[in-house]
Amino acid sequence: MTDYLNAQIGQLENGDSELRHGETPDTIHDTRVATRRFRSTLRVFGKFFDGAAGDLDRELKWYAGLLGDVRDCQVQGRRFDEALDAMPEELILGPVRARIHSDLRAIELPARTRLSEAMDSDRYHRLQEVLRRWREEPPVDPALSAAALRKPARRAQRKADRRLVAALDSGDDVLLHKARKAAKRARYAAELRKPLDKRAKRTIKHYKRIQSLLGDHQDTVVATGALRQMALTAGTTVGENGFSYGMLYAREQQIARRCRQGALQLV
């Protein structure tokens, strides 16, 4: 477990350096994933941390939220660009690309400012100090056995399975998003156990597939909300109209249906 957590701390340190001195296209994504893996470990295997997990989980959630505000804009920008690239030019009416880019940029720039300010705050520096202490003196037995880790990991899998069934039965977007989070925790718990259990590879693949499908579905939820707002604005702006945004909206609905159908096959 300590090796797994140290790998996430290393990625968070790399992310800090890159965000300050030379960000790559994947910096935000990779750093955010490290917070997710760390938080999932704290939640699934919390009983092994002697009560030291709660505060750190809260602070990593705060940091992940700041990263997520930037990352969501990146994801949506690439998503809409790909959709427009695939759309016949005669169906792109008005400055659709320009509006999408400017509207997303108007969200991303303040989000980046909040992230930068947070990374210079006392709160963030305290978080970094805690992570350094966890690397130097892990509050967990480094010799935890495979048997000890198996029960919490399987509990995470059962919870993910239950949430997926309930979410698909209801069709509720919020429940589908929660099911995705549960699948993510089950996957990361299996990743942590992989060096100790050869069968973990199959489990990782299964829950990664669920996570991917429900992640795509959540992206459609965010995208349709953004497109609806853009269509409303374009529809009342001289030289623009909402037609192309409606086409993109319909595309997102089709993707959402395919994601739900794909997830049903994994139940």
Side-chain angles (χ1 to χ4, degrees), residues 228-247:
R228 184 177 184 277
Q229 184 58 51
M230 291 176 190
L232 288 171
T233 303
T236 57
T237 301
V238 175
E240 299 186 49
N241 66 78
F243 175 82
S244 299
Y245 304 97
M247 296 291 294

Side-chain angles (χ1 to χ4, degrees), residues 72 75-76 79 214-224 252:
D72 287 347
V75 170
Q76 293 302 315
R79 188 180 191 89
L214 297 186
D216 285 345
H217 184 275
Q218 178 61 21
D219 287 342
T220 70
V221 173
V222 177
T224 52
E252 294 294 339

